[in-house]
Amino acid sequence: MTTPTESPAVRRLDDWDAVDLSALLDDYGSPLYVLDLERVRENAGRVRTAFSGAEILYAVKANALGDVLETLRDEGVGLECASAGEVKRALAASGSGADVHYTAVNPPARDLDWVVDAWEDHPDLTITVGAEDTIDRLEERGYDGRLCLRVNPGIGAGHHEKVQTGANAKFGVPAERAVDVLTDAAERGFDVVGIHAHVGSGVSSDQLDDHREFVSRMGDLAREVSTAVGGLEFVDVGGGFGVPYREDEEPLDLEAVADATREAIGEIDATLTIEPGRYVVADAGVLLTEVNTVKEARDTLAVGVDAGMTTLLRPAMYDAYHPIRNLTADSSTTDGNGGHTSRETRPQTVTGPICESGDVFCTDRRLPASERGDVLAIGNAGAYGYEMANQYNSRPRPASVVLEGDAVRLARRRETFDDVTRLETEASAPETGTGSDGNADTDADREAHNDHDTR
Ligand SMILES: *Cc1c(COP(=O)(O)O)cnc(C)c1O
């Protein structure tokens, strides 16, 4: 177990060793995702210390790599899943359904089929539903296991400005309906265990009032529901703990968030549950990429690299800021570790190889003047990095390596061009006999391939 003293609140891109990272790129090729499992442990350890007594579920969608899930199970952290595919990975890492939650958002029939099937072997898994339809659909499948209700807390005006109302309506049952819905579910034989909400938009130190308001509503609701259904096991207030992406941004004061959470929720006869995703993995990962083109553009130096929006989507999708460092320039300094290069700095626009104008990692950012062949590191790439990678432009996804102490391991190989066309090739191959297609793992998987099923 990691103690907070060994574990700074943030690991900055400058804290990584430039020489060691560059060596990884030499060994494994470019672009390359690197994830430090020790840092994942440290982050989980800080969450556990701050929120002592709370149940911690890691939101798998931030980074679903098996090594991450196994590391976190080892640290006593449970797993929060957004799809049947994630439940499958969580059960593989966990071996048991205890501490595995499936939060079903408009769940496709094949997801429900698969999870209900898995529940028969893992009766202690928990399903969180965000619509009465989902309860009906579970009942139709014979599910009467652990049920949690996701509510839409409809929280304060200040918050609403940042959250699209339309998108918001998608998540959860309006909080004022929760007692009725859960009373009914309990009467129908479901094992009602909790209530849940994930507000989503990032808990930050200067938004603690919004967080308090939200959590206190959850506390009130928990007391009401508890009386109605005869007790709850947990109250889940979701994730969204922010990390500093900008070099000058302060890290989140996790102790302050934990104190505010405990105080706001009030007296509850239930476990407090939280679901951090980003916070656990973001600063444990970097993306390495090689410069292949440097040209003087009209107002900036345009720098082309071999990673793009298909490798790391956040800048293109959210205008997200990620720190960028020139490892080759930094390696030529004596310590190779955040030391400053003698290269002059210039405003640069770093762009990828995808035919889209949004394929840009930064615009006019001051960096040491790039040269062809330099290795750049893009920081805070551990969360929502590889998970959002895709094959647009028929571009194979990169490899991922994990670090654990001094050990380095290839955790996921680089895709090949054949991987990009594999499904097409299989589709045009002659049909083989039933059950030998090598894809469907279970009968449920096979049945779930029916696309017209809207149950
Ligand atoms: C995405 C998600 C989280 C984690 O969000 P982070 O911002 O990564 O902490 C937690 N709970 C649910 C239900 C989610 O969908």
Side-chain angles (χ1 to χ4, degrees):
M1 278 204 194
T2 314
T3 62
T5 46
E6 304 159 12
S7 166
V10 60
R11 179 188 281 182
R12 306 275 183 189
L13 184 53
D14 271 350
D15 298 334
W16 295 75
D17 187 283
V19 175
D20 290 354
L21 284 180
S22 301
L24 290 175
L25 188 126
D26 290 341
D27 290 347
Y28 295 95
S30 180
L32 182 69
Y33 270 104
V34 179
L35 193 82
D36 183 351
L37 296 175
E38 287 299 329
R39 183 62 187 162
V40 172
R41 275 185 210 282
E42 285 179 16
N43 289 338
R46 276 198 324 288
V47 174
R48 197 183 26 228
T49 305
F51 283 90
S52 66
E55 183 186 21
I56 302 160
L57 303 176
Y58 166 67
V60 171
K61 75 178 190 288
N63 188 328
L65 191 67
D67 291 276
V68 172
L69 306 188
E70 279 162 28
T71 299
L72 289 170
R73 286 307 285 143
D74 199 44
E75 289 286 306
V77 172
L79 301 172
E80 196 280 324
C81 306
S83 69
E86 287 187 2
V87 174
K88 186 167 189 218
R89 291 167 106 164
L91 291 174
S94 203
S96 118
D99 308 318
V100 172
H101 289 214
Y102 166 45
T103 303
V105 177
N106 301 338
R110 62 167 66 84
D111 280 43
L112 291 184
D113 289 342
W114 196 92
V115 173
V116 170
D117 201 47
W119 161 71
E120 282 163 18
D121 292 329
H122 302 281
D124 41 7
L125 68 75
T126 303
I127 302 184
T128 298
V129 298
E132 290 168 76
D133 273 340
T134 312
I135 300 179
D136 296 341
R137 293 166 74 204
L138 286 170
E139 190 175 48
E140 285 164 21
R141 287 165 170 80
Y143 182 87
D144 62 359
R146 295 165 58 79
L147 188 82
C148 168
L149 183 69
R150 181 174 189 163
V151 300
N152 185 320
I155 74 156
H159 196 84
H160 265 265
E161 285 162 23
K162 297 177 208 101
V163 181
Q164 297 290 322
T165 329
N168 215 8
K170 164 173 174 175
F171 298 107
V173 169
E176 55 277 17
R177 300 251 326 111
V179 168
D180 285 351
V181 172
L182 284 175
T183 306
D184 178 57
E187 278 166 9
R188 283 154 74 180
F190 289 94
D191 180 13
V192 173
V193 289
I195 57 169
H196 168 283
H198 169 67
V199 181
S201 63
V203 180
S204 66
S205 299
D206 55 13
Q207 279 179 5
L208 269 189
D209 285 344
D210 286 349
H211 182 68
R212 255 192 217 99
E213 167 74 23
F214 154 63
V215 173
S216 100
R217 287 191 188 194
M218 290 298 283
D220 290 343
L221 184 61
R223 287 179 282 276
E224 237 185 289
V225 170
S226 221
T227 310
V229 304
L232 282 181
E233 198 178 292
F234 64 85
V235 182
D236 187 333
V237 298
F241 306 105
V243 300
Y245 281 87
R246 290 180 187 269
E247 292 86 344
D248 58 359
E249 228 176 301
E250 288 298 316
L252 186 65
D253 183 345
L254 205 58
E255 303 283 341
V257 176
D259 287 346
T261 306
R262 273 189 287 258
E263 188 198 301
I265 206 157
E267 284 292 318
I268 48 166
D269 188 16
T271 304
L272 170 68
T273 301
I274 54 167
E275 303 175 336
R278 182 189 318 278
Y279 190 89
V280 178
V281 284
D283 72 356
V286 296
L287 170 63
L288 304 180
T289 182
E290 202 166 58
V291 174
N292 54 43
T293 305
V294 178
K295 65 183 174 191
E296 295 290 344
R298 281 196 189 86
D299 314 306
T300 187
L301 187 65
V303 176
V305 297
D306 58 7
M309 61 189 283
T310 54
T311 331
L312 177 67
L313 185 58
R314 299 189 70 255
M317 185 157 164
Y318 307 120
D319 278 324
Y321 180 99
H322 281 262
I324 298 179
R325 184 174 165 204
N326 188 317
L327 299 178
T328 309
D330 285 356
S331 304
S332 61
T333 62
T334 44
D335 62 358
N337 192 17
H340 285 286
T341 166
S342 52
R343 282 201 212 173
E344 66 163 324
T345 65
R346 294 195 49 181
Q348 292 168 62
T349 297
V350 177
T351 64
I354 309 303
C355 289
E356 288 286 339
S357 49
D359 185 29
V360 176
F361 288 120
C362 69
T363 306
D364 288 335
R365 190 166 321 163
R366 273 205 171 270
L367 297 167
S370 300
E371 295 171 11
R372 178 144 47 98
D374 283 353
V375 178
L376 303 187
I378 302 180
N380 269 338
Y384 306 104
Y386 191 94
E387 289 309 312
M388 290 186 168
N390 59 78
Q391 298 175 329
Y392 182 41
N393 279 203
S394 295
R395 201 155 281 290
R397 287 179 294 183
S400 304
V401 297
V402 292
L403 313 179
E404 194 151 30
D406 291 333
V408 183
R409 186 159 36 81
L410 180 67
R412 181 162 43 202
R413 71 163 171 81
R414 185 176 306 286
E415 285 180 342
T416 62
F417 293 142
D418 284 348
D419 289 323
V420 175
T421 54
R422 186 170 314 277
L423 304 180
E424 234 174 275
T425 328
E426 280 171 5
S428 56
E431 287 285 340
T432 51
T434 322
S436 58
D437 66 331
N439 284 323
D441 304 50
T442 64
D443 290 339
D445 258 4
R446 257 186 282 276
E447 269 161 36
H449 287 144
N450 174 7
D451 269 315
H452 309 291
D453 189 353
T454 54
R455 273 208 296 158

